Amino acid sequence: MANNSYSGVKNSLVEANHEGEFGCSLKELRALMELRGAEALEKIGETYGDVPAICNRLKTSPIDGLSGQPADIEKRKTVYGQNFIPPKKPKTFLQLVWEALQDVTLIILEVAAVVSLGLSFYKPPDAERDHCGKAAGGVEDETESEAGWIEGAAILLSVVCVVLVTAFNDWSKEKQFRGLQSRIEQEQKFTVVRGGQVIQIPVAEIVVGDVAQIKYGDLLPADGVLIQGNDLKIDESSLTGESDHVKKTLEKDPMLLSGTHVMEGSGKMVVTAVGVNSQTGIIFTLLGEAEDDDDDEEEKKKEEKKKSKKVCPFTFFGYKKQDGSVENRKKAKAQDGAAMEMQPLNSDEGADAEEKKKANLSKKEKSVLQGKLTKLAVQIGKAGLVMSAITVLILVVLFVVDTFWIQNLPWVKDCTPIYIQFFVKFFIIGVTVLVVAVPEGLPLAVTISLAYSVKKMMKDNNLVRHLDACETMGNATAICSDKTGTLTMNRMTVVQAFIAEKLYRKVPEPESIPSSTLDLLILGIAVNCAYTTKIMSPEKEGGLPRQVGNKTECALLGFANDLKRDYQIIRNEIPEEKLYKVYTFNSARKSMSTVLKMADGSYRMFSKGASEILLKKCHKILTANGEQKVFRPRDRDDMVKKVIEPMASEGLRTICLAYRDFKASDGEPDWDSENDILTALTCLCVVGIEDPVRPEVPDAIRKCQRAGITVRMVTGDNINTARAIATKCGILLPGDDFLCMEGKEFNRRIRNEKGEIEQERIDKIWPKLRVLARSSPTDKHTLVKGIIDSTVTERRQVVAVTGDGTNDGPALKKADVGFAMGIAGTDVAKEASDIILTDDNFSSIVKAVMWGRNVYDSISKFLQFQLTVNIVAVIVAFTGACITQDSPLKAVQMLWVNLIMDTFASLALATEPPTESLLLRKPYGRNKPLISRTMMKNILGQGVFQLVIIFTLLFAGEKIFDIDSGRNAPLHAPASEHYTIVFNTFVLMQLFNEINARKIHGERNVFEGIFNNLIFCSIVFGTFIVQIVIVQFGGKPFSCVSLTIDQWLWCTFLGFGSLLWGQVISTIPTSRLKFLKTAGHGTQKEEIPDEELEELDDMEEIDHAERELRRGQILWFRGLNRIQTQMDVVSAFQSGTSFQGALRRQASNSSQQQQHDVTNVSIPMLAMSLCLPSPLPFHKPA
């Protein structure tokens, strides 16, 4: 259909060469995949005959798959393309430099420096300067006046340094994100059949003609046609916007599309389109992401070659349309379906995080920390602006009054350039005050801290998909954890069995079971466990057998092996294709059944499932001699008491195995009415499956409880099993009055008479609830939502949730932080999560909490240091300028200080490794201010100390050191020892104070663990060396004179004083200092006027910087976005894409761009979506 759109044409040249080898061209297959349902079946029938015929034409076997020969695979890649979408090119270093130059304060400085340079080369015609006033004269030396250009040049040079450092930081950050991105992509594997063997290959290696096995929880990596399916249901909302699951069968709708989720069942498909030719790939092409110029094919090919080096597999599609996705994870959470999986760790954000924050604070800031920081930075920036304006004003006024009024001089034309030079100098001083006041190191510190933590968390088995999740984790107050695999080892074995009317405490000998019963049992286990589940030989000699697939089924297959029977022989006799019908396991059924057609035309169905559910459907049971006898409700209650409850109380999962025969004489049953089918069963046996608790979990849970985090277990298991495991883990302690309840009971208690959920009712339950058993995915979602929305506690709860199944998706998205299991988790769960636990282990969550708190503390340490420098530098520059008409700290010196305290300090303090002591305090909560009273005490205390020292040196330094005074020097006077000592002491005090800043909770020992952080040590040491070089050899550009050893020792001693003074400050109890205020709160909702709240409603979360800085832009960006959407559509039509194809894709685009949960966006809505403002207000049009 979409033959003329670019990717259709793309491979046409290559195609011509190999066209003859395969029976389907790329165009035909693309056209086929555009169709759905009946249309598609009709087309397959007309063109190919049936699905096996398609396989035939693609030279593949529906049973054995491709041969797997490298030559064949390569040929397929050439003809049909590879399974990846070319990534967006990373920004070059020069682009990053250009972006760093956009910083407003730097631009002002550059302009001022250029003007200063220009004026310094101007020579007034007559050498007699005396008539221009006192300040202009007094230049003793000709060479000195010629060196006037140095200051301008030095400012420019330091600006270049700052820009290069910033750009380099961004560049390395970008590189880190790309690395993380590719790591996520390499982990994405998919199961295919090649040469008759079932193997897992990276998604990027899938080619057209591959036979892929799909199962519950998969995210389809390519388009394909169904070969065989059991009860297959797909969530296609990511492409169509329809939230209902679509049933896929060979008879009705065999078309499977990339980017959609398997919500139920299993099956096999033959891959028909990959990469840019698949449905999702076509959408990207339309969005103009996958290189959209239709230049000429030759160039395309060259690009293709270059691109194939930078493969970005299709899996976590790098959906770059949304600028800056990392911080925007909440946005991703709100989107439905594919817009979700198209939200990878987007390198884009990494690269521009900082400039974006500086240049346009209108980027959506989602995290709590970002919100508090931005607000704080804006407030400090405003104060700095006011201070610098006043400084300039005072300097100008003093100069004018002094020259024209006190000295009573006329304005002479010849003197104009000299006066202008003065004004420029004042202006430069003002700008420098501003540069020092604005804490542009803040966003840098956050990004460095987060990026560093993310990198280190990899080692702790946390793969972070959304950057700010790691900071949110530090605030977590509750964790809702799964049981299986997270708290337990997920290595299941059958340890007890009730079979042939007898309870065995360990696996029975095969001789003790009637042979007819045993045969039925083994047949039932072999065919009624997914064929993808198997027991493999151990990797090491004498090790445990490897369990592949569903662990509960592995336990049953292991049970068959323990009974000395081989299930594989049965599977070879009855391959998956011969199974008559399969009812796969889902959370509503809580059971799985498989139907076989017997030789005499009768049917036999095997079922397995949760014992208390399946036993209710059993009407008979097999006796000790293998015969059936009636199984009454009374017998069932007996069995529950004597068999199931004792097993469960030991923490075992109980599974019932049963079967049913349908006579041939009764004709074929109606397989769709499940209730009639799944009844009148005969119970074969009940087994108790043990899943031991992970040895490190009880300790991890104790740490959580000590850190003020409540751990709750939410499981689908029986309540007795859950209670037993919770007690073993330490979630329930003997003698506590905590609640354990089942999903049914929970639902009954939270709903009113009308069946609606009421928050007040949830509030009565959740504080005491510790175990929720037999819970459905909806119960989990309800509980998480209930805890998050609750207002019972003084702080809003921050909830982390773990999940592995597809059905956990909603709860993972709803949670503040969603953890998915890396090993047992399905693709859907991983997509919905923020952090992937690569070892599925609960104790890794504790590590995440530690890192999260560490990020928060690192930022606070940096703030404590930065604000001290800010306050001191601004006050010194301001008062100095007012009293001596010149700033004691020169522009270039200020820029050096700025570099130390912004870039280097953020690196040094943001990379402190976490310690166990972080887990000894309660969580901070959302509204805790960034700057606590203890920190405020440290900031003000150190500030006072530094100001006293600096002012003493400034106004009495010449007497103390017996040197010439540097005050009131004329315009181009040489640097003085006096001012060099002031500058040197100032920098050394900052260096020692940086060590003080390592502790923010009033600890005494500031050196504790200092050598664990090599970055910190090397930065402090490095800065010290550079400072020596600047002072001794900096000369004119830095306005420094080399100092003697004595003077250096005095400066160092005064610097060291700030460490001693720090000890004095920590002696003063904070509780006494009632007048200290905290700072850096997040914005409370109440503070925002109603009209604005309505305006901000679309945005899902309120951004503070936006409120502080931008108001009108919202509408402006919306307008732009609207025009953009319209242009997209027009260009899609112009490129000759079929009308329906474009409509369908555009509809799916609009559904991807919805920020609210899009449930039903159908194609006719396109027209409306073009007239409505787009709901992504702050994304620059591409």
Side-chain angles (χ1 to χ4, degrees):
M1 274 178 99
N3 303 349
N4 322 26
S5 73
Y6 126 76
S7 343
V9 182
K10 181 168 166 182
N11 295 358
S12 55
L13 293 182
V14 198
E15 232 173 82
N17 322 341
H18 296 285
E19 189 82 297
E21 302 199 17
F22 298 106
C24 315
S25 72
L26 179 70
K27 283 183 188 170
E28 286 173 21
L29 289 176
R30 276 184 50 144
L32 175 65
M33 294 318 294
E34 295 252 326
L35 304 171
R36 305 276 182 279
E39 280 182 332
L41 281 169
E42 205 174 299
K43 175 87 171 145
I44 293 175
E46 278 172 21
T47 320
Y48 308 101
D50 56 1
V51 179
I54 297 181
C55 296
N56 212 359
R57 288 204 189 189
L58 288 173
K59 301 217 162 86
T60 181
S61 146
I63 294 166
D64 295 338
L66 295 176
S67 62
Q69 301 290 323
D72 178 45
I73 302 290
E74 276 313 306
K75 193 184 297 165
R76 288 172 191 273
K77 283 186 181 171
T78 334
V79 179
Y80 297 112
Q82 285 174 278
N83 197 22
F84 73 91
I85 291 179
K88 193 172 170 189
K89 290 194 190 79
K91 290 197 166 132
T92 59
F93 188 68
L94 283 175
Q95 280 172 308
L96 293 171
V97 167
W98 176 244
E99 283 187 359
L101 278 168
Q102 309 298 311
D103 187 3
V104 188
T105 43
L106 286 180
I107 293 174
I108 299 174
L109 264 184
E110 288 152 26
V111 172
V114 171
V115 174
S116 157
L117 264 178
L119 286 168
S120 67
F121 290 123
Y122 174 81
K123 285 276 167 290
D126 67 321
E128 285 300 309
R129 296 188 174 200
D130 298 341
H131 63 275
C132 295
K134 275 196 304 233
V139 178
E140 303 85 44
D141 201 341
E142 262 311 290
T143 55
E144 282 298 348
S145 67
E146 276 162 21
W149 62 273
I150 290 184
E151 186 174 38
I155 292 179
L156 282 181
L157 193 70
S158 43
V159 166
V160 169
C161 277
V162 171
V163 166
L164 287 177
V165 169
T166 311
F168 178 73
N169 268 328
D170 288 346
W171 178 79
S172 56
K173 217 153 52 188
E174 164 119 356
K175 213 171 110 207
Q176 260 183 17
F177 281 118
R178 297 237 161 213
L180 202 51
Q181 173 82 4
S182 62
R183 157 105 193 238
I184 288 181
E185 276 153 3
Q186 284 153 11
E187 296 213 331
Q188 199 81 4
K189 294 228 170 40
F190 209 77
T191 315
V192 295
V193 182
R194 282 191 183 169
Q197 292 295 310
V198 177
I199 56 168
Q200 285 212 323
I201 59 170
V203 168
E205 293 298 310
I206 292 177
V207 292
V208 170
D210 257 324
V211 172
Q213 287 196 345
I214 54 178
K215 60 181 189 309
Y216 154 86
D218 283 341
L219 164 69
L220 298 184
D223 293 354
V225 182
L226 191 64
I227 299 175
Q228 171 256 328
N230 305 322
D231 213 6
L232 199 58
K233 287 190 184 147
I234 307 274
D235 171 9
E236 291 189 350
S237 60
S238 53
L239 287 177
T240 59
E242 297 292 346
S243 60
D244 296 340
H245 297 172
V246 184
K247 216 174 158 139
K248 298 285 177 183
T249 56
L250 283 166
E251 297 76 49
K252 290 207 177 89
D253 183 3
M255 312 308 274
L256 300 166
L257 307 173
S258 60
T260 58
H261 289 126
V262 183
M263 300 312 275
E264 224 175 277
S266 61
K268 277 190 197 167
M269 72 169 188
V270 58
V271 176
T272 55
V274 293
V276 284
N277 300 309
S278 66
Q279 290 303 298
T280 311
I282 294 171
I283 288 174
F284 279 101
T285 314
L286 264 187
L287 285 175
E289 277 306 323
E291 293 300 337
D292 48 345
D293 321 327
D294 274 19
D295 300 346
D296 87 271
E297 261 82 278
E298 283 309 307
E299 259 188 67
K300 272 286 173 298
K301 282 222 211 60
K302 281 180 207 150
E303 288 210 326
E304 272 298 296
K305 279 194 191 110
K306 278 185 214 152
K307 284 255 172 49
S308 55
K309 289 173 194 159
K310 290 191 292 223
V311 175
C312 149
F314 191 89
T315 54
F316 272 57
F317 323 117
Y319 192 46
K320 308 292 192 318
K321 196 69 180 170
Q322 297 163 334
D323 226 58
S325 74
V326 182
E327 269 16 345
N328 298 358
R329 82 166 220 277
K330 287 270 170 34
K331 170 174 306 155
K333 291 201 156 191
Q335 291 166 338
D336 205 359
M340 178 70 213
E341 37 341 290
M342 307 201 167
Q343 195 79 338
L345 248 171
N346 203 333
S347 39
D348 244 25
E349 163 66 11
D352 334 338
E354 186 193 344
E355 274 72 41
K356 292 262 165 57
K357 274 170 218 144
K358 282 193 214 165
N360 57 326
L361 281 159
S362 60
K363 255 293 162 276
K364 300 300 298 163
E365 306 261 358
K366 285 300 185 231
S367 78
V368 187
L369 187 61
Q370 293 290 8
K372 290 179 184 176
L373 277 178
T374 316
K375 197 172 171 196
L376 193 68
V378 169
Q379 287 164 347
I380 298 174
K382 281 182 179 169
L385 194 63
V386 172
M387 288 293 273
S388 65
I390 297 176
T391 312
V392 175
L393 208 70
I394 290 178
L395 284 171
V396 171
V397 170
L398 279 176
F399 173 77
V400 171
V401 169
D402 183 56
T403 309
F404 300 123
W405 195 44
I406 298 176
Q407 297 179 42
N408 213 350
L409 291 173
W411 181 294
V412 186
K413 194 162 152 227
D414 290 347
C415 296
T416 307
I418 292 176
Y419 294 147
I420 291 182
Q421 234 166 328
F422 267 107
F423 291 141
V424 169
K425 180 180 150 189
F426 299 151
F427 182 59
I428 289 179
I429 292 173
V431 173
T432 322
V433 171
L434 179 64
V435 170
V436 177
V438 172
E440 65 271 45
L442 272 183
L444 183 65
V446 180
T447 322
I448 289 178
S449 180
L450 287 173
Y452 170 78
S453 305
V454 165
K455 206 169 175 182
K456 292 286 188 204
M457 282 167 81
M458 295 282 246
K459 294 196 177 81
D460 286 335
N461 302 311
N462 284 290
L463 180 71
V464 181
R465 291 187 59 228
H466 298 116
L467 255 196
D468 57 351
C470 90
E471 161 242 320
T472 315
M473 224 18 239
N475 286 325
T477 54
I479 300 175
C480 295
S481 172
D482 268 0
K483 174 177 77 72
T484 312
T486 315
L487 301 173
T488 59
M489 289 169 71
N490 204 10
R491 182 181 176 85
M492 308 213 185
T493 40
V494 172
V495 289
Q496 296 188 18
F498 177 85
I499 186 166
E501 296 190 297
K502 186 167 179 214
L503 176 60
Y504 295 90
R505 286 273 165 192
K506 54 183 204 293
V507 177
E509 290 299 313
E511 297 76 53
S512 60
I513 303 169
S515 61
S516 60
T517 308
L518 190 59
D519 291 343
L520 269 173
L521 181 63
I522 303 299
L523 175 63
I525 290 175
V527 299
N528 194 30
C529 286
Y531 277 45
T532 47
T533 302
K534 30 187 181 299
I535 303 273
M536 317 273 278
S537 49
E539 281 172 347
K540 296 190 197 73
E541 277 293 309
L544 293 167
R546 278 183 302 150
Q547 299 188 336
V548 180
N550 181 312
K551 297 294 188 274
T552 312
E553 295 185 335
C554 286
L556 294 172
L557 295 175
F559 180 50
N561 288 347
D562 293 345
L563 292 170
K564 318 271 191 298
R565 294 296 190 92
D566 187 1
Y567 67 87
Q568 198 53 51
I569 299 172
I570 299 175
R571 286 189 169 183
N572 296 342
E573 280 171 23
I574 310 174
E576 205 171 354
E577 292 75 47
K578 287 197 184 162
L579 301 180
Y580 191 76
K581 174 142 186 77
V582 179
Y583 297 95
T584 52
F585 181 89
N586 66 25
S587 51
R589 275 189 199 125
K590 290 233 191 278
S591 68
M592 170 178 176
S593 310
T594 302
V595 182
L596 298 177
K597 189 167 187 178
M598 311 306 274
D600 59 358
S602 65
Y603 300 95
R604 175 168 289 164
M605 177 178 77
F606 289 100
S607 295
K608 67 169 193 294
S611 52
E612 59 264 49
I613 292 173
L614 220 51
L615 280 178
K616 288 182 182 150
K617 301 185 174 166
C618 289
H619 293 187
K620 295 182 186 148
I621 188 166
L622 293 183
T623 60
N625 54 10
E627 286 162 3
Q628 298 185 354
K629 78 163 193 191
V630 177
F631 185 61
R632 290 188 288 281
R634 188 173 68 236
D635 305 331
R636 185 172 65 233
D637 297 342
D638 252 10
M639 191 158 164
V640 168
K641 275 198 191 68
K642 291 183 181 153
V643 177
I644 292 171
E645 283 180 1
M647 281 185 184
S649 61
E650 291 172 41
L652 304 184
R653 298 182 75 161
T654 54
I655 300 284
C656 172
L657 303 170
Y659 77 103
R660 177 180 177 187
D661 285 327
F662 297 92
K663 296 194 187 88
S665 53
D666 297 347
E668 184 165 351
D670 171 13
W671 299 114
D672 286 340
S673 65
E674 266 182 63
N675 292 343
D676 304 339
I677 300 288
L678 203 61
T679 181
L681 305 175
T682 305
C683 173
L684 273 166
C685 78
V686 172
V687 292
I689 297 178
E690 182 185 45
D691 183 10
V693 170
R694 287 175 181 265
E696 61 278 12
V697 162
D699 186 44
I701 285 180
R702 263 198 307 282
K703 282 183 187 162
C704 280
Q705 289 163 341
R706 205 174 51 221
I709 301 169
T710 311
V711 183
R712 295 182 174 80
M713 181 204 285
V714 182
T715 175
D717 240 337
N718 170 323
I719 190 157
N720 297 324
T721 312
R723 191 180 283 125
I725 299 276
T727 312
K728 282 183 192 168
C729 293
I731 292 176
L732 292 174
L733 299 169
D736 285 347
D737 63 334
F738 290 132
L739 292 175
C740 294
M741 71 173 55
E742 289 202 342
K744 270 191 187 146
E745 170 68 0
F746 173 69
N747 264 308
R748 192 180 60 70
R749 288 170 68 168
I750 61 171
R751 292 173 191 275
N752 59 18
E753 299 71 47
K754 294 181 188 159
E756 293 158 349
I757 297 173
E758 284 187 359
Q759 185 63 43
E760 303 82 78
R761 289 169 183 252
I762 299 181
D763 289 345
K764 284 183 191 144
I765 297 174
W766 74 258
K768 290 222 162 166
L769 184 69
R770 288 296 177 274
V771 176
L772 187 59
R774 281 277 175 253
S775 68
S776 70
T778 8
D779 296 341
K780 191 172 187 175
H781 181 256
T782 309
L783 176 67
V784 172
K785 186 173 183 306
I787 298 179
I788 290 178
D789 294 347
S790 171
T791 48
V792 191
T793 47
E794 52 194 301
R795 300 200 183 125
R796 146 147 153 48
Q797 295 278 313
V798 177
V799 184
V801 168
T802 70
D804 53 5
T806 306
N807 45 23
D808 293 331
L812 287 171
K813 277 191 198 175
K814 179 68 200 167
D816 293 289
V817 181
F819 286 90
M821 302 297 139
I823 303 168
T826 60
D827 293 350
V828 181
K830 289 179 189 170
E831 293 301 347
S833 70
D834 302 302
I835 298 180
I836 296 173
L837 294 179
T838 49
D839 63 346
D840 287 16
N841 191 338
F842 185 84
S843 58
S844 305
I845 299 179
V846 182
K847 296 261 175 59
V849 172
M850 231 157 77
W851 277 106
R853 293 186 171 190
N854 192 50
V855 167
Y856 216 87
D857 279 10
S858 301
I859 304 301
S860 294
K861 289 171 190 171
F862 173 69
L863 265 175
Q864 177 172 308
F865 173 69
Q866 162 121 31
L867 291 179
T868 314
V869 191
N870 270 6
I871 292 171
V872 177
V874 170
I875 293 179
V876 167
F878 176 69
T879 40
C882 298
I883 298 170
T884 65
Q885 295 180 27
D886 183 9
S887 169
L889 298 173
K890 300 290 178 284
V892 182
Q893 296 174 349
M894 290 272 226
L895 283 170
W896 164 237
V897 169
N898 202 33
L899 199 68
I900 308 178
M901 69 180 205
D902 273 356
T903 311
F904 296 154
S906 61
L907 255 175
L909 292 168
T911 51
E912 287 271 312
T915 56
E916 287 280 330
S917 60
L918 288 166
L919 294 175
L920 298 175
R921 57 172 177 76
K922 297 276 176 272
Y924 277 155
R926 302 206 147 224
N927 305 332
K928 166 154 193 328
L930 274 177
I931 302 170
S932 62
R933 285 167 65 166
T934 311
M935 286 166 63
M936 198 54 106
K937 178 182 75 175
N938 294 344
I939 292 171
L940 294 178
Q942 288 290 349
V944 168
F945 170 77
Q946 294 187 11
L947 285 172
V948 168
I949 300 279
I950 296 283
F951 282 136
T952 310
L953 286 177
L954 188 58
F955 296 112
E958 69 272 28
K959 298 187 188 70
I960 302 171
F961 288 103
D962 192 26
I963 44 178
D964 295 333
S965 166
R967 294 194 300 280
N968 300 328
L971 185 59
H972 290 303
S976 63
E977 270 183 301
H978 182 190
Y979 272 18
T980 307
I981 290 177
V982 173
F983 165 61
N984 200 19
T985 310
F986 179 69
V987 171
L988 291 174
M989 284 197 291
Q990 303 322 326
L991 272 186
F992 284 106
N993 192 32
E994 196 162 339
I995 300 174
N996 269 335
R998 291 183 65 242
K999 301 291 175 203
I1000 50 173
H1001 298 299
E1003 297 92 332
R1004 285 233 169 241
N1005 180 4
V1006 288
F1007 290 101
E1008 187 193 346
I1010 192 166
F1011 296 114
N1012 297 343
N1013 188 356
L1014 284 174
I1015 301 182
F1016 183 88
C1017 299
S1018 45
I1019 281 181
V1020 171
F1021 189 65
T1023 313
F1024 188 62
I1025 301 291
V1026 177
Q1027 179 64 16
I1028 295 176
V1029 173
I1030 285 178
V1031 171
Q1032 297 304 93
F1033 312 106
K1036 185 75 185 162
F1038 281 96
S1039 317
C1040 287
V1041 185
S1042 54
L1043 301 176
T1044 63
I1045 288 285
D1046 277 3
Q1047 292 166 335
W1048 263 103
L1049 286 173
W1050 272 108
C1051 293
T1052 315
F1053 171 69
L1054 290 171
F1056 186 74
S1058 60
L1059 274 179
L1060 304 173
W1061 181 248
Q1063 293 301 315
V1064 175
I1065 297 176
S1066 57
T1067 318
I1068 307 167
T1070 316
S1071 51
R1072 290 284 171 81
L1073 309 169
K1074 289 277 183 276
F1075 61 88
L1076 285 179
K1077 289 274 181 290
T1078 55
H1081 297 263
T1083 311
Q1084 303 298 311
K1085 264 199 173 160
E1086 300 77 75
E1087 297 171 23
I1088 304 173
D1090 290 347
E1091 316 80 81
E1092 252 186 79
L1093 261 178
E1094 283 165 25
E1095 177 69 352
L1096 292 165
D1097 235 19
D1098 321 350
M1099 273 163 254
E1100 232 267 313
E1101 196 140 316
I1102 293 154
D1103 175 27
H1104 321 290
E1106 224 160 78
R1107 295 192 52 247
E1108 296 269 2
L1109 298 181
R1110 323 262 156 154
R1111 295 276 160 99
Q1113 278 198 351
I1114 301 180
L1115 293 168
W1116 161 243
F1117 272 115
R1118 280 193 189 163
L1120 274 179
N1121 246 335
R1122 207 167 105 189
I1123 296 167
Q1124 181 63 26
T1125 316
Q1126 289 163 344
M1127 278 158 54
D1128 274 359
V1129 176
V1130 172
S1131 60
F1133 286 138
Q1134 281 169 350
S1135 70
T1137 316
S1138 72
F1139 181 71
Q1140 250 177 327
L1143 264 184
R1144 184 180 294 126
R1145 268 164 261 150
Q1146 189 58 36
S1148 64
N1149 282 1
S1150 62
S1151 80
Q1152 276 170 23
Q1153 290 205 342
Q1154 292 300 344
Q1155 243 192 334
H1156 312 296
D1157 273 354
V1158 176
T1159 38
N1160 300 321
V1161 175
S1162 55
I1163 291 162
M1165 274 191 72
L1166 171 68
M1168 280 163 60
S1169 74
L1170 295 185
C1171 322
L1172 291 171
S1174 155
L1176 289 178
F1178 286 106
H1179 290 314
K1180 299 195 192 82

